[in-house]
Amino acid sequence: MIEFRVDDLARRAGVSVRNVRVYQDRGLLPPPRKEGRTGWYNEAHLARLGLITRMLDRGYTFATISELLTAAQSGLRIEDVLTSDDINGAAQQLSTSEQIDRSELEAMFGADLSEADLQRGVDLGVTTKVGDDYRVDNPVLLDAARLLSAAGISLSQILEQTEGVRQDLDDVARRFVALVTDRFIVDGQDPFDTDARTVGEIAELVNGLRPLVHRAVSALLVEAMDRRITSTMEEILAQYGHHPGSANDQAS
């Protein structure tokens, strides 16, 4: 992953360092990864700056841009935002992070915890390196990983599935957002040519959709989990029932 210092980021994006700071203060640009006193920005920040610049050039206000980008802000992942009807409340809840050191991680996941797994956690955004420690912005993920690890599942497997689930959730989010954008934006139309009133309507609809999408996806996931658990147990029982030396064989 390519990373930039703030001056390199500003130069590549064609904006001033001051503007980068302003966008960050306004909540439009996620904060950089901190390493000591140096902030490191990545290609996602560069893409976000390009988006902000285009929208500002077309007369959109900071408030409108912020409304559209709320779900993508640092610490506000889609699945977290959707858990509450109160977007600001969700943001405040997520602002509480957990900072742990390597010894605590080893206590959770074993003394053979590898540097590769630690780095992969950072690359996935599950953890953030803070000096010699690690910050976890979403403690729910840490709790889930701890539970799976206690069941004997390796951290490498957990991280692999985390990456896969995140990609799946991105696809789910894309599907629901597309329902909105396809309603308002005609095929072939530059979305930035959409008038400010329509953009406001899109933002209002997306915000209203968030809690409903969360409930819908949660309900569908529960149904899918029930079906998968049932079918898996049936497969296990079927294999056990035909296994030599099983209770059925002994009874016969």
Side-chain angles (χ1 to χ4, degrees):
M1 179 173 56
I2 301 175
E3 291 187 308
F4 321 96
R5 295 176 185 270
V6 65
D7 51 346
D8 294 326
L9 176 75
R11 184 173 64 255
R12 285 172 177 262
V15 301
S16 66
V17 171
R18 179 179 179 278
N19 280 349
V20 173
R21 306 292 191 197
V22 169
Y23 301 156
Q24 217 169 281
D25 292 341
R26 295 271 188 165
L28 304 181
L29 188 70
R33 178 181 69 84
K34 285 287 189 178
E35 189 173 303
R37 299 182 62 182
T38 303
W40 291 98
Y41 299 82
N42 57 38
E43 291 174 308
H45 291 96
L46 184 60
R48 175 65 63 83
L49 279 175
L51 177 62
I52 294 170
T53 299
R54 291 185 67 186
M55 296 187 78
L56 288 173
D57 287 345
R58 285 160 176 78
Y60 298 145
T61 65
F62 281 138
T64 300
I65 297 173
S66 177
E67 192 72 12
L68 291 173
L69 300 180
T70 296
Q73 299 304 313
S74 176
L76 279 178
R77 296 181 176 86
I78 291 293
E79 59 269 31
D80 296 318
V81 174
L82 296 180
T83 60
S84 172
D85 294 345
D86 180 6
I87 302 302
N88 292 327
Q92 185 175 5
Q93 181 180 5
L94 287 171
S95 65
T96 303
S97 59
E98 184 174 341
Q99 189 160 320
I100 53 181
D101 59 28
R102 168 122 192 192
S103 63
E104 292 174 293
L105 288 170
E106 289 179 350
M108 293 178 195
F109 303 112
D112 58 346
L113 181 67
S114 70
E115 290 295 333
D117 284 339
L118 288 172
Q119 185 57 48
R120 189 172 187 185
V122 172
D123 293 340
L124 289 174
V126 176
T127 59
T128 301
K129 195 79 166 66
V130 182
D132 294 330
D133 297 339
Y134 293 86
R135 188 183 74 243
V136 182
D137 290 323
N138 190 341
V140 173
L141 294 178
L142 183 63
D143 291 340
R146 184 188 291 117
L147 178 64
L148 292 171
S149 179
I153 301 172
S154 71
L155 184 57
S156 295
Q157 289 178 289
I158 296 170
L159 290 170
E160 182 178 352
Q161 292 305 317
T162 299
E163 184 174 12
V165 168
R166 176 166 291 172
Q167 292 172 354
D168 291 340
L169 287 172
D170 283 342
D171 183 60
V172 171
R174 178 187 59 77
R175 289 170 181 266
F176 278 102
V177 172
L179 289 175
V180 177
T181 56
D182 290 350
R183 163 67 178 81
F184 287 92
I185 300 175
V186 180
D187 288 343
Q189 175 187 355
D190 184 346
F192 294 100
D193 288 338
T194 306
D195 62 88
R197 178 179 178 181
T198 301
V199 170
E201 291 177 358
I202 294 174
E204 183 177 356
L205 181 55
V206 169
N207 280 334
L209 189 63
R210 283 172 178 150
L212 299 177
V213 169
H214 172 256
R215 296 184 189 118
V217 172
S218 294
L220 292 172
L221 178 59
V222 168
E223 292 177 4
M225 286 290 290
D226 287 343
R227 287 195 302 269
R228 178 56 58 186
I229 290 170
T230 300
S231 63
T232 300
M233 291 303 297
E234 288 175 348
E235 292 172 3
I236 293 173
L237 290 173
Q239 292 174 2
Y240 177 79
H242 291 88
H243 193 280
S246 68
N248 289 341
D249 291 334
Q250 293 173 3
S252 61

